């Protein structure tokens, strides 16, 4: 391994270490329902999503309901992506006229992204339309990550609440993970990519 490689790995771990306490404290406030510095901007979005989806913000679920909600949501997401991949030639944003994916590749890809492994056994630019990549797959970068955060939160609450029968609400945790954690991080990441010249356009 080169000195540059070792330096990059060391820098990566230093950044992780530096972010652990402030990001952990921020997430603890978010999932406890406490006010954070992002609330003035993002709280209306959070409340709007609760109203749109019929979510009770103060509702709590038994662990079986919490787990069932997470599994049902993940299954629906996988089926959603599978359908998009199987029918991509009839959706918009396909300037190259790419054909529908076969059932095996569609299933493998949908399950892979739905479980946050993101395994790709294809050339994206020659296989997936822009619609499939953005709506069918990139959405899982939020959904599966948010579901993983929810599992971690439920696990932590299970240890903290020795005698409680509930672990919070999967839907509230999922909304907060997306709005307050993943959305801001994605904006920061996107700005970093743009600053380095990364582009996305809709040309063939």
């Amino acid at each position: 391994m080169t000195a540059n490689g070792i330096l990059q790995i060391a820098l990566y771990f230093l950044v992780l270490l530096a972010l652990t306490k402030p990001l952990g404290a921020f997430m603890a406030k978010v999932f406890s329902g406490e006010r954070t510095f992002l609330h003035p901007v993002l709280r209306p979005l959070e409340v709007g999503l609760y109203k749109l989806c019929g979510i009770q913000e103060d509702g709590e679920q038994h662990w079986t309901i919490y787990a069932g909600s997470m599994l049902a949501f993940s299954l629906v997401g996988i089926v959603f992506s599978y359908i998009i991949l199987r029918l991509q030639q009839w959706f918009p944003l396909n300037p190259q006229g790419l054909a529908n994916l076969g059932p095996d590749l569609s299933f493998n890809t949908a399950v892979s992204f739905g479980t946050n492994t993101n395994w790709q056994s294809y050339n994206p630019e020659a296989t997936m339309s822009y619609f499939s990549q953005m709506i069918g797959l990139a959405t899982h970068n939020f959904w599966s990550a948010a579901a993983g955060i929810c599992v971690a939160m439920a696990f932590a609450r299970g240890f903290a609440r020795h005698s409680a029968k509930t672990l919070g609400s999967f839907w509230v945790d999922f909304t907060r993970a997306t709005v307050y954690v993943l959305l801001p991080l994605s904006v920061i990441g996107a700005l970093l990519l743009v600053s380095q010249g990364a582009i996305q356009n809709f040309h063939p």
Side-chain angles (χ1 to χ4, degrees), residues 9-65:
I9 293 171
L11 180 61
Y12 174 75
F13 279 105
L14 285 173
V15 169
L16 283 183
L17 187 62
L19 290 176
T20 298
K21 186 171 182 178
L23 185 57
F26 170 77
M27 290 179 68
K29 284 188 174 182
V30 165
F31 291 103
S32 297
E34 298 178 29
R35 187 176 177 82
T36 70
F37 68 95
L38 290 177
H39 269 64
V41 177
L42 297 178
R43 176 64 178 168
L45 175 60
E46 179 191 6
V47 172
L49 288 171
Y50 292 150
K51 291 181 179 178
L52 178 67
C53 300
I55 298 170
Q56 294 182 345
E57 185 175 1
D58 57 350
E60 295 235 349
Q61 298 172 313
H62 187 268
W63 75 265
T64 55
I65 305 299

Side-chain angles (χ1 to χ4, degrees), residues 34 54-55 101 111 143 153 155 157 186-187:
E34 298 178 29
I55 298 170
L101 275 66
V111 170
W143 296 346
M153 290 308 306
F155 191 72
R157 290 187 188 121
S186 71
V187 170

Side-chain angles (χ1 to χ4, degrees), residues 133-188:
Q133 290 190 57
M134 292 188 300
I135 306 301
L137 301 181
T139 49
H140 282 293
N141 292 330
F142 283 86
W143 296 346
S144 58
I149 292 171
C150 291
V151 170
M153 290 308 306
F155 191 72
R157 290 187 188 121
F159 279 108
R161 302 177 179 182
H162 299 292
S163 59
K165 295 182 179 180
T166 60
L167 293 175
S169 168
F170 169 78
W171 305 110
V172 172
D173 288 343
F174 182 88
T175 302
R176 288 175 176 167
T178 303
V179 171
Y180 292 104
V181 180
L182 299 175
L183 184 60
L185 287 175
S186 71
V187 170
I188 294 170

